[in-house]
Amino acid sequence: MRKDICTFLLVLMIAFLLVQGLELSYEDKEDSEVDEYYKEHQEKTGADNMVEAILLDFRAYDTFGEVMVLYIAIAGVIILGKIVTGDDQS
Amino acid sequence: MTSLIVKTAGRALTPFILLSGLYVASFGFLSPGGGFQGGILLASGVILIMVTHGSKEVHRLAENIDWFETFGALTFLIVGLAGLLLGGYLFSNLLPDTPLMCIVLDIVIALKVFVGITAVFVYFFGMGVKEC
Amino acid sequence: MTILVGLYGMTRTKNSIKMIMCLGIMGSGVILLFVSVGYIPGAGAPIVGHSAEMVDPLPHTVMLTAIVIDLATMALGLALVYHLYEEYGTLDVTDYLVGED
């Protein structure tokens, strides 16, 4: 019973924080300066798709870190699978 | 285990799924799409074959294909370092006003995601086979 | 709202696989939240020449990263849960804490 109340209070607190953050982010949506910079300098990348232009040109370093996360996770899955199936016994 | 209908449908659908994956990956700079989505589509084609026809052949293929993962990561790093050496900062565009960098990185990411997801599914299926 | 559903499920369940499913639900909630923040009424897809006014492309980019990291995290977690099941023979997290006896 006490655990139920604690869980309910935790969820309520995080809901409050989320609502506060959403109000902040919805207020100043009109004049996003970073967005204007990307829209003005889009011709430099040569890509018409704005998401690709940001992902692979303006913020390619972030994408590199994300590719590394994917690499490490898949390496972990492969190592665990090799332990289970016993491919690595030799 | 699988019936003739499932085998035939899987064999007929897989080339079109792979083709649409290649299209999404290589034209990601012009139209909706990109490297990750194309890689997932390519992997789904291979997984369809694996589900319908059994995973023996694909398992042997996937064990020899793991080094593509490292190849993709290294190519990404080499593109970044070339931008650092020739353009002044990391991942700078070597040919401005042309989408060459986007195309190269798109295809590299598509290859990497394709190999990665296929390997993950192969090893999950291998875990299930060991259990029985 | 979806984030809260995932959080409640993750704190209340004892099954490891259900915990990882709740992780996926929380990821979906975060993706919906960010994409809805970037939405502008009446704007089209963020492609040059497609429509006059485009939605904010930056949350889409960040969420494309978040989707892949969700997938990688869930794959690694499922592999670990499989090993825990092989070791202990159960999926209940409270049995893992008791130790070996």
Side-chain angles (χ1 to χ4, degrees):
Chain A
M1 193 58 206
R2 233 179 62 203
K3 233 171 136 186
D4 282 342
I5 295 174
C6 286
T7 310
F8 189 69
L9 279 182
L10 177 69
V11 169
L12 212 64
M13 273 164 53
I14 294 188
F16 180 70
L17 286 179
L18 276 179
V19 169
Q20 294 292 319
L22 269 183
E23 280 182 356
L24 275 183
S25 65
Y26 275 121
E27 274 176 4
D28 53 354
K29 193 168 61 180
E30 294 304 320
D31 48 354
S32 171
E33 292 179 5
V34 181
D35 191 26
E36 293 303 319
Y37 174 79
Y38 287 147
K39 280 175 186 167
E40 283 171 9
H41 293 261
Q42 178 267 335
E43 293 88 12
K44 277 185 175 178
T45 68
D48 278 348
N49 192 348
M50 285 293 295
V51 176
E52 286 291 307
I54 294 174
L55 188 75
L56 294 179
D57 207 314
F58 293 118
R59 298 200 165 191
Y61 190 55
D62 292 347
T63 310
F64 176 66
E66 185 243 343
V67 162
M68 276 299 143
V69 168
L70 185 67
Y71 180 71
I72 292 169
I74 287 170
V77 172
I78 288 175
I79 288 169
L80 289 173
K82 277 189 178 170
I83 289 172
V84 169
T85 54
D87 286 341
D88 211 17
Q89 294 296 323
S90 63
Chain B
M1 191 172 74
T2 54
S3 68
L4 181 67
I5 298 174
V6 174
K7 279 188 179 179
T8 310
R11 214 165 43 218
L13 277 178
T14 303
F16 296 105
I17 293 176
L18 292 180
L19 188 64
S20 103
L22 276 180
Y23 170 74
V24 168
S26 54
F27 281 86
F29 67 100
L30 280 181
S31 57
F36 296 108
Q37 295 95 324
I40 294 286
L41 268 173
L42 287 172
S44 73
V46 176
I47 288 166
L48 184 64
I49 279 287
M50 199 154 56
V51 168
T52 55
H53 282 76
S55 63
K56 283 286 182 215
E57 288 82 5
V58 187
H59 196 286
R60 216 184 314 123
L61 179 71
E63 290 204 335
N64 302 322
I65 215 172
D66 283 349
W67 61 272
F68 271 113
E69 191 82 17
T70 312
F71 169 74
L74 279 180
T75 310
F76 212 100
L77 185 59
I78 284 169
V79 170
L81 286 181
L84 178 62
L85 290 179
L86 300 176
Y89 56 95
L90 204 59
F91 287 107
S92 66
N93 203 344
L94 293 181
L95 299 169
D97 303 331
T98 56
L100 183 71
M101 182 172 161
C102 283
I103 295 174
V104 169
L105 291 186
D106 252 351
I107 292 177
V108 164
I109 289 177
L111 186 69
K112 192 167 147 43
V113 172
F114 163 56
V115 173
I117 301 297
T118 310
V120 165
F121 267 82
V122 163
Y123 281 107
F124 277 170
F125 283 169
M127 289 175 185
V129 167
K130 169 78 178 349
E131 181 70 19
C132 298
Chain C
M1 197 65 207
T2 320
I3 303 173
L4 300 178
V5 172
L7 185 74
Y8 180 76
M10 188 178 277
T11 48
R12 289 302 293 167
T13 187
K14 288 196 174 81
N15 195 329
S16 314
I17 290 184
K18 284 180 187 169
M19 278 187 172
I20 291 177
M21 287 162 72
C22 288
L23 192 69
I25 292 172
M26 282 174 76
S28 305
V30 171
I31 290 160
L32 274 176
L33 180 67
F34 268 68
V35 171
S36 72
V37 164
Y39 180 68
I40 298 171
I47 294 171
V48 176
H50 180 265
S51 56
E53 192 184 6
M54 62 176 72
V55 298
D56 199 355
L58 194 56
H60 290 185
T61 310
V62 177
M63 283 307 108
L64 196 61
T65 307
I67 290 171
V68 179
I69 290 180
D70 259 352
L71 189 143
T73 315
M74 285 173 62
L76 193 59
L78 282 175
L80 284 173
V81 165
Y82 181 80
H83 269 262
L84 282 174
Y85 183 76
E86 286 257 302
E87 185 76 21
Y88 292 98
T90 176
L91 285 175
D92 200 341
V93 286
T94 53
D95 291 344
Y96 299 152
L97 300 175
V98 172
E100 63 282 348
D101 56 354

